[in-house]
Amino acid sequence: MSSTASSPALPQRRRFLKLGLGATVLLAVAGAGTALLSKPGLVEGRLSAPARQLMRAITLAVCGDLLPPEGPAREARLSSHLEQVDRQIAGFPPALRAELGQLLTLLGTAPGRIGLMGLRSPWAEASTAEVQARLQSMGRSGLGLRQQVFHALRDLNCLVFFNDPASWPLVGYPGPRTS
């Protein structure tokens, strides 16, 4: 009697398993297709053009108040900062560089940007306030992956910014003691 009572549940479980397997295959194919169609985050160890736009937006969100006011001095400082980000990435171990490249590739796509960050605007069009809000949301997220992405993006920018002697006067740091 127990076998007839459980038999309706078996086909239902099989349907759920098939649905789960089908969804997994679909997501894998969609992810692979997106990766193939999108531009890579890193090209020869340097930020690609889309990744550069992404990191520019993140830099403005993380360090914006510490940068010179809008104008040529700010643009020159941003350009220098992004070059230093490239140099920093070049010094990373290959495995870390590969993971960062994958992250930048994913965030460079609309589905990745929307799904992971919740940012609907393209990077070049997103306001600094939008990017700041999305980063703050990621930092407070209950999902460990979103928190890791937040820390990776914020920490990379802070590492480069505060390690640069050109940034020290902008934050009131006189530099290391000479004695």
Side-chain angles (χ1 to χ4, degrees):
M1 202 179 248
S2 65
S3 64
T4 56
S6 64
S7 61
L10 285 176
Q12 189 175 11
R13 279 189 226 145
R14 285 187 189 126
R15 264 195 312 247
F16 284 131
L17 288 172
K18 286 179 186 176
L19 178 63
L21 181 59
T24 301
V25 169
L26 179 65
L27 287 173
V29 169
T34 298
L36 290 173
L37 294 175
S38 64
K39 297 190 176 161
L42 297 176
V43 176
E44 297 179 10
R46 296 180 59 85
L47 295 171
S48 65
R52 197 168 175 85
Q53 285 182 337
L54 180 161
M55 288 304 290
R56 184 181 194 285
I58 298 293
T59 301
L60 286 170
V62 172
C63 305
D65 293 339
L66 302 172
L67 295 170
E70 285 192 40
R74 175 176 248 188
E75 290 306 314
R77 186 68 193 99
L78 280 167
S79 179
S80 172
H81 179 86
L82 294 172
E83 287 300 317
Q84 291 173 40
V85 167
D86 274 335
R87 283 194 296 279
Q88 187 69 44
I89 291 169
F92 288 164
L96 181 57
R97 239 186 349 260
E99 286 181 11
L100 182 59
Q102 291 170 358
L103 173 63
L104 295 173
T105 299
L106 178 64
L107 289 174
T109 66
R113 185 185 69 247
I114 295 166
L116 196 54
M117 288 197 68
L119 183 65
R120 296 201 179 280
S121 302
W123 290 108
E125 297 170 17
S127 72
T128 300
E130 281 180 285
V131 177
Q132 285 173 331
R134 300 317 315 147
L135 281 171
Q136 288 173 4
S137 172
M138 290 177 75
R140 293 187 308 261
S141 175
L143 295 174
L145 175 64
R146 291 187 79 223
Q147 288 181 9
Q148 287 176 333
V149 170
F150 162 75
H151 287 289
L153 295 172
R154 184 201 59 189
D155 293 356
L156 176 58
N157 272 284
C158 287
L159 170 73
V160 168
F161 184 84
F162 290 108
N163 196 40
D164 181 8
S167 298
W168 298 347
L170 298 172
V171 297
Y173 177 58
R177 293 183 185 166
T178 56
S179 56

